[in-house]
Amino acid sequence: MIRRILKITAIFLLLVLGAATFVYFKYLRPKPLLISNEDRAAITMMPLPSTVKIHSGEFILNPGMGITIQGPNDDILDRAVKRFTSHIANQTGVTLKKSGKGLMISYHDAMLPVQPVAADESYTITIYTEGVQLTASTAYGILRGLESLKQLLKENNGTFSWPHLQLTDAPRYSWRGIMIDACRHWIPKEAMLRNIEAMAAVKMNVLHWHLSEYQGFRVESKVYPKLHELGSGGKYYSHEDIREIVSFAADRGIRVVPEFDMPGHTTSFFVGYPELASAPGPYQLETNFGVLTPVMDPTREEVYTFIDTFIGEMVTLFPDPYFHIGGDEVNTTDWDNNPAIQDFMKVNKLGNSHALQAYFNQRLEKILSKHNKKMIGWDEILNPDLGNTIVVQSWRTHKSLFEAVQQGSKAILSAGYYLDHKLPAGKHYGVDPEILPGAVTIQPDSLHWEEYALSIYVSESPMKTQLVLYGESDNLRGLFYLLDNATGFENALRTGNDLKFSFTSDFGEIDLQATFVGDSLIGKMSLGLLSFPFNGKKVGGNTWPGTTPPRVEQMKPLTPEQKANILGGEAAMWTEVASELNIDSRIWPRAAAIAEKLWSPQELTKDVRDMYRRLEVVSLQLDRLGVRHLQDQYALIHDLAAGKNEKPIQILLDVLEEVKYYERLTLGVTTLTPMNEVVDAVQPESMAALKFQWMVDEFLEDPQHQKHEPAIRELLVLWRNNHKDFEQVAKGNARLEKVLLTSQELSMVTNFALQAIEAIAGKRTLRFADREAMLRALHGAGTNRAGTTLAVYPAMKKLVEAIPVIE
């Protein structure tokens, strides 16, 4: 009996131990790092590889080194290897031989005539004493591996080498692209080729090419020649140009997806063919920007005949399986004012303009299917009647991506990746396709609620939206609807008749301040430096009989199957305030951060500081590759100097940034505005300001207030003293005089910051009144001047606010 009890006890203990072991290894054991901190610090690759292990030792390049290729014949890969060989020779002086020991490349499958969306781009690299091995299943993987070898190459006193390592890599998403708008401002062929080269360097694989707009039609059409003859202003790509660009991209494993926007954004169609429009012509190319009224007539068969013939021509130029139809921002004014269109809607039981656009898209999808193309469009096209073969490009909100994949459609994300917003690379890096910012997680309160209908004046036409408040006193929370997307917020503050709250949206941090006046609400919404007034009226509440709380839709987390419907994402570069003179600097190097977000494992893309460390290296690599994001700034500074000293201009511009989002459009920018002002020469993100911010933060965090003090002081003296020299250069120069006050403000705020450094370090004493006087003087120093802002202003203000004072 005792033996039996002992046996049962032993079995029980073994089962418990086994279960505990299972739980530990499956759930509790720390997961091994894909890349150790030491190895991560040793490389400057971007994107980061899936895994890498660096060993001691290095493989040194030598003149006797050769390349051996094992795999089926592939002309594209042969050209890629030649480019790689040329790159290595230019950088190191070592010309790799066509055969021999050194670099062994092996793969199984050649590239296909048309690159598939789900091409296998995985590869492995092994570097050891005897040489380098690059292995992949397909030639697409070899292309990506060659780019990694370029980035891994190191130089030490004139000797070039690769570190001994083992590396495995594969993309997180199969769709990693950039949308370039060639319509609002013309982007010539040479600029397109440069940017494709840069995309390949950071393993992006889709060029989304926006080719028709209110402002221009950019492709030669031989079946409808008036499209480019009358709709381009003389600036368009010939068939030969298109074929060259598509071939250039294919050589680098990059698909080209054309976009011809329909039914809105179509003025350039109507200049030559006004019969396609919903309102009578004549039409002329627009020079202003915004959402304008011209729109195709979806009720006329002639429109679909035109589109069918046009697409039939375009598919001969663009072999990719996807064709982008735009579908965004349809202004329905001309539909609403056309009696024939309204009659058509009644006869066909189309209840509103959304139904009419859905009808148009269904007809368009059938035309695309006839030409063996799949439809992709902006998130307005999402409709259950289109089926699940379409790809939805989410741009207005991240939420639309979740909605698309939860309905079974494929989708790509652009919300949060708009490069023309001029946001920091770190902001884009924080956007993950599978994580929905601002998801509604607050708990509604049906006993304490109020609803307001608001009008926000972002333009001449107010934007209609809603505000819902829940709870009372210290538990006040609510929902704010922006572009049909509900974002929850908590910790709202209501003091008497004043209301304040903030929340993070797809567009950035939004602050609202309002005042209750009876059943009305008046206030302003702030987004960065932008501020928009609004007003509204109460339309419901728990004290209002006959009203009910609005239905709150809480987003469900994505299932594994729904996550698989996320193909990837695209950075977007619209060109209202960019041209061939500065487009490279508006895309690079920040797009490399988005490229990494879409390629590297999710767990490796959380260290923003390390991303910036590598981004700076990649920026220089792109410069050597021929990308003009740095060169164009130098050229424009030279032009601005007009023969005078360029150094004071460079010092000032290093700490300026272009205003964010679309604030520059408030200055009256059109397609005719020259892109040669100071604002066009500054970078969207000032690295000097970012590094200064880091130093200030670490200085203030240091209990002794000594860390970085000499470096901070040196920069402050440089910036303070620069104004005198800049004043001399700017005198009589109309373009530079626009930022003369900014230069003066930089001198003022740096002088305050120098006093703050001394006070914080205990080297001088300041009174409370002194600090308050400084803060009053600082007020407004960081505002928009000629489309620029002083990027170091927040760090300067932080120093002044940290001054210890005596009463």
Side-chain angles (χ1 to χ4, degrees):
M1 183 68 178
I2 294 176
R3 289 182 179 179
R4 186 179 178 186
I5 293 173
L6 290 174
K7 185 176 181 180
I8 292 172
T9 302
I11 293 173
F12 175 76
L13 291 173
L14 286 172
L15 289 172
V16 171
L17 180 61
T21 303
F22 171 80
V23 170
Y24 172 77
F25 280 98
K26 185 170 180 63
Y27 300 106
L28 302 180
R29 183 180 60 166
K31 294 182 179 180
L33 294 174
L34 298 176
I35 302 177
S36 70
N37 293 332
E38 293 78 13
D39 289 342
R40 183 171 181 144
I43 60 175
T44 56
M45 291 178 65
M46 201 165 198
L48 282 170
S50 302
T51 66
V52 64
K53 178 61 181 175
I54 299 177
H55 305 288
S56 61
E58 57 187 15
F59 177 80
I60 299 175
L61 270 71
N62 60 82
M65 181 178 171
I67 300 178
T68 301
I69 301 177
Q70 292 182 348
N73 292 333
D74 192 312
D75 292 341
I76 291 180
L77 185 60
D78 289 343
R79 291 192 290 272
V81 171
K82 288 179 181 178
R83 292 195 305 273
F84 175 80
T85 301
S86 177
H87 177 92
I88 296 297
N90 291 337
Q91 184 176 353
T92 69
V94 175
T95 301
L96 303 177
K97 298 179 180 180
K98 292 184 178 179
S99 62
K101 293 183 177 181
L103 173 58
M104 168 65 76
I105 295 174
S106 60
Y107 62 99
H108 296 293
D109 299 324
M111 298 184 195
L112 298 174
V114 177
Q115 183 173 331
V117 174
D120 185 350
E121 300 172 276
S122 63
Y123 66 94
T124 63
I125 294 175
T126 303
I127 304 175
Y128 53 106
T129 305
E130 288 75 20
V132 179
Q133 289 184 345
L134 171 57
T135 306
S137 296
T138 72
Y140 297 108
I142 299 299
L143 288 181
R144 308 309 174 211
L146 290 173
E147 296 300 336
S148 292
L149 285 174
K150 291 177 187 178
Q151 291 189 351
L152 286 166
L153 191 63
K154 302 293 183 182
E155 187 265 341
N156 185 19
N157 295 324
T159 299
F160 291 86
S161 64
W162 280 298
H164 289 176
L165 57 75
Q166 291 175 299
L167 180 153
T168 62
D169 203 7
R172 180 182 176 193
Y173 294 111
S174 60
W175 195 303
R176 309 176 306 280
I178 295 180
M179 187 287 302
I180 295 181
D181 169 17
C183 301
R184 288 171 172 85
H185 279 95
W186 166 245
I187 308 300
K189 178 180 71 176
E190 294 73 22
M192 295 301 302
L193 295 176
R194 280 199 313 271
N195 280 280
I196 291 170
E197 195 78 77
M199 290 172 63
V202 294
K203 302 183 178 68
M204 297 184 107
N205 67 351
V206 179
L207 170 64
H208 169 177
W209 202 357
H210 187 75
L211 293 167
S212 68
E213 252 310 332
Y214 300 123
Q215 294 80 13
F217 191 94
R218 300 305 184 194
V219 178
E220 176 189 18
S221 174
K222 294 183 178 180
V223 297
Y224 294 118
K226 286 189 287 186
L227 284 173
H228 68 275
E229 290 172 354
L230 301 180
S232 71
K235 295 179 178 179
Y236 62 91
Y237 306 102
S238 68
H239 281 203
E240 291 71 26
D241 292 335
I242 298 285
R243 291 190 178 99
E244 179 184 350
I245 291 171
V246 170
S247 175
F248 186 90
D251 268 11
R252 289 150 181 80
I254 294 174
R255 301 163 41 225
V256 178
V257 177
E259 179 188 351
F260 295 95
D261 212 340
M262 315 176 203
H265 289 269
T266 38
T267 303
S268 59
F269 279 89
F270 304 155
V271 176
Y273 301 93
E275 63 271 18
L276 301 174
S278 297
Y283 289 85
Q284 61 183 12
L285 292 177
E286 304 286 353
T287 58
N288 295 318
F289 303 117
V291 181
L292 308 177
T293 59
V295 59
M296 286 182 173
D297 185 343
T299 70
R300 298 176 60 241
E301 286 302 315
E302 297 94 325
V303 172
Y304 299 104
T305 301
F306 182 99
I307 293 173
D308 187 5
T309 306
F310 170 71
I311 289 177
E313 179 186 20
M314 292 299 105
V315 297
T316 66
L317 299 173
F318 298 99
D320 194 80
Y322 283 95
F323 197 98
H324 205 300
I325 58 94
D328 60 314
E329 295 182 324
V330 176
N331 188 322
T332 65
T333 300
D334 289 351
W335 287 353
D336 298 337
N337 295 332
N338 186 317
I341 292 177
Q342 292 302 307
D343 289 343
F344 179 90
M345 292 173 64
K346 291 177 183 176
V347 170
N348 290 275
K349 298 180 180 180
L350 301 174
N352 52 41
S353 58
H354 296 292
L356 182 60
Q357 185 177 356
Y359 168 84
F360 175 83
N361 289 340
Q362 291 173 57
R363 295 288 303 271
L364 195 52
E365 185 185 25
K366 291 178 181 177
I367 294 173
L368 289 172
S369 297
K370 170 185 170 183
H371 295 286
N372 298 313
K373 297 294 181 182
K374 297 178 182 179
M375 178 188 288
I376 175 173
W378 301 104
D379 56 45
E380 287 95 328
I381 74 166
L382 183 60
N383 187 290
D385 293 332
L386 280 177
N388 296 332
T389 60
I390 65 169
V391 170
V392 175
Q393 184 164 7
S394 297
W395 74 277
R396 291 179 300 171
T397 66
H398 201 137
K399 178 184 176 183
S400 63
L401 179 91
F402 273 53
E403 291 173 338
V405 299
Q406 287 174 342
Q407 291 180 27
S409 295
K410 304 293 185 183
I412 59 175
L413 180 68
S414 283
Y417 295 148
Y418 266 45
L419 295 171
D420 59 306
H421 286 177
K422 283 86 67 175
L423 299 176
K427 178 72 174 178
H428 298 306
Y429 199 65
V431 176
D432 189 286
E434 295 176 13
I435 299 175
L436 181 63
V440 176
T441 58
I442 67 164
Q443 185 65 39
D445 184 349
S446 61
L447 298 179
H448 303 92
W449 66 277
E450 295 176 283
E451 182 179 7
Y452 291 83
L454 304 181
S455 296
I456 304 176
Y457 295 88
V458 297
S459 63
E460 292 181 1
S461 300
M463 181 174 69
K464 303 296 184 180
T465 187
Q466 295 170 268
L467 168 66
V468 183
L469 297 173
Y470 297 108
E472 297 178 295
S473 61
D474 60 351
N475 192 26
L476 190 62
R477 57 202 185 277
L479 298 174
F480 188 81
Y481 290 78
L482 194 61
L483 291 176
D484 297 324
N485 183 43
T487 300
F489 59 86
E490 298 183 277
N491 302 317
L493 180 63
R494 185 169 183 172
T495 307
N497 290 326
D498 295 328
L499 173 69
K500 293 182 181 180
F501 64 88
S502 62
F503 60 91
T504 301
S505 74
D506 288 328
F507 306 97
E509 191 72 15
I510 291 181
D511 295 290
L512 278 94
Q513 298 184 26
T515 300
F516 293 97
V517 181
D519 290 330
S520 298
L521 194 62
I522 302 171
K524 67 177 181 178
M525 180 184 79
S526 300
L527 173 62
L529 296 175
L530 298 173
S531 183
F532 306 105
F534 69 81
N535 57 51
K537 285 187 173 294
K538 188 174 180 179
V539 293
N542 59 280
T543 61
W544 280 37
T547 60
T548 57
R551 180 175 175 270
V552 176
E553 181 183 3
Q554 294 181 298
M555 292 301 295
K556 298 178 181 179
L558 299 180
T559 65
E561 293 76 17
Q562 291 165 349
K563 288 182 180 180
N565 283 335
I566 301 177
L567 299 180
E570 284 183 2
M573 184 62 233
W574 301 103
T575 56
E576 285 94 342
V577 291
S579 71
E580 60 182 296
L581 297 178
N582 64 354
I583 190 169
D584 289 24
S585 68
R586 272 48 188 163
I587 297 176
W588 306 104
R590 292 177 302 137
I594 299 172
E596 177 161 290
K597 199 71 181 182
L598 298 173
W599 175 283
S600 303
Q602 186 180 42
E603 53 265 46
L604 292 181
T605 59
K606 298 177 181 179
D607 189 336
V608 176
R609 189 74 173 263
D610 182 69
M611 179 275 290
Y612 274 112
R613 173 185 67 87
R614 292 175 290 107
L615 188 67
E616 199 164 13
V617 176
V618 169
S619 178
L620 296 176
Q621 292 172 342
L622 292 172
D623 178 61
R624 290 194 295 268
L625 195 63
V627 183
R628 297 189 59 84
H629 60 298
L630 301 179
Q631 299 172 46
D632 284 342
Q633 183 190 50
Y634 303 148
L636 191 45
I637 287 175
H638 180 75
D639 179 62
L640 287 165
K644 293 184 179 181
N645 185 9
E646 297 175 13
K647 188 175 180 180
I649 305 175
Q650 182 71 67
I651 291 173
L652 176 61
L653 265 60
D654 279 347
V655 296
L656 299 183
E657 290 179 353
E658 185 176 359
V659 289
K660 308 308 177 189
Y661 301 101
Y662 300 111
E663 187 174 0
R664 189 177 171 191
L665 294 179
T666 63
L667 302 179
V669 176
T670 72
T671 60
L672 306 177
T673 303
M675 295 285 145
N676 63 351
E677 298 283 347
V678 169
V679 60
D680 299 302
V682 304
Q683 298 291 343
E685 180 175 20
S686 166
M687 290 304 298
L690 179 64
K691 291 178 179 179
F692 182 71
Q693 179 70 66
W694 289 343
M695 287 195 294
V696 166
D697 288 343
E698 292 174 7
F699 167 77
L700 294 175
E701 291 167 3
D702 177 16
Q704 305 302 318
H705 299 306
Q706 295 178 349
K707 192 172 185 179
H708 303 306
E709 183 190 354
I712 293 174
R713 190 183 298 275
E714 183 179 354
L715 285 171
L716 292 175
V717 170
L718 173 70
W719 295 333
R720 181 193 63 186
N721 296 343
N722 188 63
H723 176 61
K724 184 177 180 181
D725 295 332
F726 183 82
E727 199 171 23
Q728 293 299 315
V729 175
K731 187 176 181 180
N733 186 317
R735 289 184 289 170
L736 292 179
E737 285 180 340
K738 293 178 182 178
V739 292
L740 196 55
L741 181 56
T742 303
S743 175
Q744 183 179 350
E745 288 174 339
L746 176 62
S747 181
M748 175 190 70
V749 298
T750 49
N751 184 51
F752 290 162
L754 281 166
Q755 296 180 55
I757 287 285
E758 292 186 353
I760 294 168
K763 298 177 182 178
R764 67 179 299 174
T765 301
L766 291 173
R767 297 173 303 156
F768 176 81
D770 296 329
R771 185 180 67 185
E772 293 306 299
M774 289 183 187
L775 289 173
R776 284 194 298 273
L778 285 174
H779 182 71
T783 56
N784 175 0
R785 302 199 189 282
T788 69
T789 58
L790 194 56
V792 292
Y793 170 77
M796 304 281 194
K797 185 179 179 183
K798 192 171 187 178
L799 283 171
V800 173
E801 289 173 338
I803 293 174
V805 296
I806 58 173
E807 295 297 333

